[in-house]
Amino acid sequence: MNAPYNGDRAQGTGGPAPSQGTAPGTPVPGQVPAPAPAPDHDPYVQDAYDHDPYRSQDLSAQDPVAEVLYDRASHPPPPPGTFQEPGPLYAAPATPVHGPDPRVWAQTPPPEPDGPSRHLPYGDHATTTQFVGVDSLVTGATDDRPGPDAFAHLYRDQQAAPRTPAEEAPVAAPAPSKPAGRAAGLLKSSALMAAGTIVSRITGFLRTLVIAGAIGVATLNDSYQVANTLPTMIYVLVGGGALNSVFIPQLVRAMKNDEDGGEAYANRLLTLVMVLLGAVTTICVLAAPLFIGMMSQKIADDPQRMDVAVAFAHYCLPTMFFMGVHVVLGQILNARGRFGAMMWTPVLNNIVVIATFGAFIWAFGGFTSTGVTEAGITPEGVRLLGLGTLLGLAVQSLAMIPYLRDAGFKPRLRFDWKGHGLGKAAGLAKWTFFFVLANQIGLVVVTQLATWAGGVADKQGHGGTGITGYNYALLLWQMPQAIITVSVMTAVLPRISRSAHDGDAAAVRDDISYGLRTSAVAIVPCAFAFLALGVPMATLLYFKSGVESAQNIGFILMAFGLGLIPYSVQYVVLRGFYAYEDTRTPFYNTVIVAAVNAGVSALAFVVLPARWAVVGMAAAYGLGYAVGVGVAWRRLRARLGGDLDGAHVMRTYTRLIGACVPAAAVAGAVAYGITQWLGSGPLGSTAALVAGLIALAAVFLAAAKRMRIEELNAMVGMVRGRMGR
């Protein structure tokens, strides 16, 4: 029990003598009375027979509670006559050679350093010790911020660094923060980002529905998908990966350390990105036919398809410039605590594209009535769709400017790049470049094969079996990952990074295990839901493009289904390497995933009929991640000392899969029966999907309850608590 240092208190028996006229034995205010003489041979009982052991004459000198709690065995008193003389007023006392004086309450302790180097009793480690019950008093971990210390002036002289007289002047206390300041801010930012992501995904699905309603899901949409995929691939390869992994952390560091809050560095980075992407965009627009041929030889061999795809590419390729600008401006806002703009502005892009394809339907008619193909679409129609796609990305990036002004950032062109760390950051991005390159090579192989198989199948009367069906199913399949796994790891990743920085492998292991098990509670049922209900999902969403085409997309979605489990696990495991600032291992792992994906996709293309080739490619996607998880798991386990909590994680996944197998079987049977009764139209698909989901949830929850899956029980309890039940 410690109290602020009080210079008026005597430190021993050598304090000032009582004033004249004071009777002997009368206590002097502010001074501890001398104890009664005690035998020299036993200093521990020198106060045992004192008539007033609690010093009632001076209530500020002793405290009966402190006296009872004082541990004399751990801190024995020093021999008599060795006490230090008190120093001048407000002077830091010299470090005592012996233990604390048992006759003085609340001996002033030496100041402890801040941060992880602080010492705790009993050999506890400061970075891992958690205090239960008194956490708010010891660690300040609650949301309430402590108020200003009214006694700070009493021990100001005990700080580690000496202060000048100017620094000794009283400083106005900061205004008390609102309760739950930091935690509430983080929760608010996370909720805002999650809401933006969900709305963006929903409008993205509406976008695909309108596109399918305008140009179908056959070869014309394949040509549009190839042209619209090109700018994303080139942007990510040229600068997207480096921006997110290297330049953005450098930007955050500059905003913390530079005198101007990193504004100059941010403007240099923005200028560099604009110049680089402007040059790359110009070259790519001129080389559009070459890129189309690289993406799909099947399209290049058909003159009509080639002309339409190149025309689409001329409008779509400039969007990579606005992609880079949007990312840089969004990260500048994120570094300033403005998280909403980057998540919500893509909604504007989706709205513009939806309006564009809606205008195409209004002007030229929908696909179900026109059956438009590459031979039937007019140049005006191509121009309308291309300009709308370009306008959507332009609006998305320009919408960031008002947020920048509100944050106090003024965008300016700055070409003084040399000597400001941009070159060093570019050198650090090489592994990220190789990482992205491996991904893009795998994507190019799949695009080549899928467009070829889709073209052959379309001539046989099977639409929705090309790259359009693959991309639409992939977009729907990735939604649980984007909402669930990414959200869980966004909250856990800062803890993993801190633990890795402190060398606490056990904490990293526990957080990785937590992320895997927590996300699995939702990811595993979603994977089996795609497997059991993929067809009614697709027919409900894409029936405008034809029931058979929508069913083919559903088959692709079913093939993707179970691959969602290793896809999610891979994402979580790679966060462990990133926490240790290891980008080389994720690159090697991505090479393995891309190689398996490309190899099995080629095998499916050769072995399976054209209608089912893309279904096999979707299964190859999940298989590639399953192999990658096995490799990454072993490497991360070795890095963490041979323990990754594998038994606990496997037990959770095994129980979840065991609960999902009967649930998926029942749900699939229910959905199939309803579609046989009501058909595969909108009504039958809706009824089948709703009834299948209810059956899957009921059987899964019943089985999971019998298996006592603790993570699911914790989640259900949390939901009930939030609902007030």
Side-chain angles (χ1 to χ4, degrees):
M1 299 181 64
N2 300 324
Y5 169 69
N6 190 340
D8 291 333
R9 259 180 219 167
Q11 295 288 324
T13 60
S19 59
Q20 297 294 332
T22 303
T26 303
V28 179
Q31 179 179 351
V32 178
D40 293 338
H41 65 277
D42 192 1
Y44 297 96
V45 296
Q46 57 187 356
D47 290 334
Y49 301 99
D50 195 336
H51 68 283
D52 189 5
Y54 299 127
R55 300 295 190 270
S56 60
Q57 301 95 334
D58 183 6
L59 297 179
S60 64
Q62 291 289 349
D63 181 5
V65 178
E67 192 70 12
V68 171
L69 297 178
Y70 186 78
D71 189 358
R72 296 181 182 275
S74 299
H75 305 284
T82 59
F83 303 111
Q84 296 289 334
E85 291 292 331
L89 189 63
Y90 298 131
T95 304
V97 180
H98 304 284
D101 184 357
R103 297 171 299 174
V104 178
W105 174 64
Q107 188 83 12
T108 304
E112 288 186 354
D114 296 330
S117 60
R118 62 189 178 92
H119 300 288
L120 293 177
Y122 311 111
D124 292 338
H125 195 276
T127 59
T128 59
T129 301
Q130 296 182 355
F131 299 90
V132 180
V134 293
D135 195 55
S136 59
L137 298 177
V138 179
T139 65
T142 59
D143 296 333
D144 296 309
R145 298 288 185 86
D149 192 350
F151 302 96
H153 65 283
L154 296 177
Y155 47 90
R156 186 184 299 125
D157 57 327
Q158 299 180 28
Q159 302 300 322
R163 297 173 179 265
T164 62
E167 293 174 332
E168 290 290 339
V171 181
S177 61
K178 296 180 180 180
R182 169 177 284 183
L186 289 175
L187 289 175
K188 182 179 179 181
S189 300
S190 300
L192 185 63
M193 294 169 67
T197 302
I198 293 174
V199 174
S200 178
R201 291 282 176 171
I202 292 174
T203 54
F205 278 117
L206 294 177
R207 167 180 170 166
T208 61
L209 295 178
V210 176
I211 293 175
I215 58 177
V217 293
T219 55
L220 177 58
N221 202 336
D222 285 354
S223 301
Y224 176 79
Q225 291 294 324
V226 169
N228 199 29
T229 302
L230 264 176
T232 303
M233 292 179 56
I234 299 173
Y235 159 72
V236 172
L237 183 62
V238 172
L243 275 176
N244 289 319
S245 64
V246 177
F247 285 100
I248 296 307
Q250 296 288 335
L251 173 64
V252 174
R253 189 174 296 109
M255 289 183 176
K256 290 182 178 180
N257 299 332
D258 293 357
E259 295 181 356
D260 62 346
E263 183 169 331
Y265 186 94
N267 279 317
R268 293 187 189 98
L269 178 60
L270 178 61
T271 305
L272 177 63
V273 169
M274 293 175 66
V275 171
L276 176 64
L277 289 180
V280 172
T281 299
T282 303
I283 296 173
C284 290
V285 170
L286 296 176
L290 178 63
F291 284 109
I292 294 295
M294 179 191 69
M295 292 292 292
S296 175
Q297 188 62 40
K298 186 68 174 177
I299 293 178
D301 292 340
D302 188 334
Q304 285 185 333
R305 295 188 67 186
M306 184 65 175
D307 291 341
V308 173
V310 170
F312 278 135
H314 285 157
Y315 294 106
C316 293
L317 282 169
T319 60
M320 77 174 73
F321 174 84
F322 296 102
M323 290 179 191
V325 172
H326 177 261
V327 169
V328 175
L329 297 182
Q331 295 294 353
I332 292 173
L333 287 171
N334 288 351
R336 285 165 165 75
R338 309 293 181 91
F339 300 98
M342 195 171 184
M343 297 298 174
W344 283 92
T345 47
V347 177
L348 299 177
N349 175 26
N350 292 332
I351 292 175
V352 171
V353 175
I354 289 172
T356 298
F357 281 83
F360 181 89
I361 295 174
W362 177 78
F364 301 98
F367 180 79
T368 54
S369 60
T370 63
V372 62
T373 62
E374 291 90 340
I377 190 171
T378 63
E380 292 78 13
V382 173
R383 188 180 304 114
L384 172 62
L385 300 181
L387 286 176
T389 303
L390 176 59
L391 180 62
L393 264 297
V395 170
Q396 174 179 313
S397 59
L398 295 177
M400 307 290 284
I401 296 179
Y403 294 96
L404 289 170
R405 292 179 178 176
D406 185 60
F409 179 81
K410 298 179 180 179
R412 291 188 178 89
L413 295 178
R414 297 197 59 151
F415 297 92
D416 52 336
W417 303 332
K418 189 175 181 180
H420 294 283
L422 293 175
K424 179 180 178 181
L428 296 173
K430 61 179 181 180
W431 289 111
T432 302
F433 172 80
F434 293 139
F435 177 93
V436 174
L437 180 61
N439 263 327
Q440 301 309 312
I441 291 175
L443 180 59
V444 169
V445 172
V446 172
T447 303
Q448 284 274 7
L449 299 177
T451 52
W452 193 291
V456 174
D458 187 63
K459 291 181 179 179
Q460 298 174 355
H462 303 295
T465 55
I467 191 63
T468 299
Y470 185 92
N471 287 341
Y472 282 9
L474 183 66
L475 181 65
L476 183 61
W477 177 76
Q478 288 178 333
M479 189 172 184
Q481 162 79 5
I483 296 177
I484 299 167
T485 308
V486 174
S487 299
V488 170
M489 293 311 298
T490 299
V492 176
L493 186 58
R495 293 193 323 200
I496 297 177
S497 300
R498 286 193 297 268
S499 300
H501 183 268
D502 295 336
D504 192 350
V508 175
R509 176 205 64 199
D510 292 342
D511 286 333
I512 292 290
S513 173
Y514 170 83
L516 289 170
R517 291 180 288 107
T518 303
S519 60
V521 173
I523 289 296
V524 174
C526 287
F528 278 89
F530 288 136
L531 177 64
L533 305 173
V535 172
M537 287 182 189
T539 52
L540 177 62
L541 292 173
Y542 302 112
F543 69 90
K544 285 287 187 180
S545 58
V547 173
E548 185 182 359
S549 297
Q551 286 178 339
N552 290 330
I553 297 176
F555 294 140
I556 298 173
L557 181 59
M558 292 176 64
F560 271 119
L562 295 184
L564 184 63
I565 299 174
Y567 181 68
S568 175
V569 173
Q570 171 91 340
Y571 180 88
V572 176
V573 171
L574 290 187
R575 302 310 104 178
F577 295 107
Y578 292 141
Y580 285 101
E581 300 181 353
D582 179 6
T583 57
R584 181 179 300 184
T585 301
F587 159 69
Y588 290 135
N589 203 75
T590 301
V591 171
I592 295 172
V593 172
V596 173
N597 184 21
V600 179
S601 296
L603 180 63
F605 176 79
V606 173
V607 174
L608 298 176
R611 179 182 179 182
W612 303 104
V614 177
V615 175
M617 296 176 196
Y621 194 84
L623 180 61
Y625 277 99
V627 175
V629 165
V631 176
W633 183 277
R634 288 195 297 269
R635 291 186 176 182
L636 184 59
R637 183 178 60 187
R639 179 145 199 172
L640 297 180
D643 184 12
L644 201 52
D645 200 19
H648 194 184
V649 173
M650 288 302 299
R651 183 167 59 251
T652 299
Y653 275 82
T654 302
R655 290 180 178 180
L656 287 170
I657 292 174
C660 286
V661 168
V666 173
V670 170
Y672 179 78
I674 292 178
T675 53
Q676 292 297 310
W677 176 36
L678 298 177
S680 298
L683 177 61
S685 298
T686 302
L689 182 59
V690 172
L693 289 175
I694 293 175
L696 188 145
V699 177
F700 169 72
L701 291 176
K705 185 177 181 180
R706 294 292 298 269
M707 294 181 181
R708 298 180 180 179
I709 302 175
E710 56 183 4
E711 291 79 11
L712 180 63
N713 294 335
M715 179 175 291
V716 172
M718 180 185 66
V719 172
R720 287 180 175 177
R722 292 296 180 89
M723 298 176 64
R725 296 181 180 179

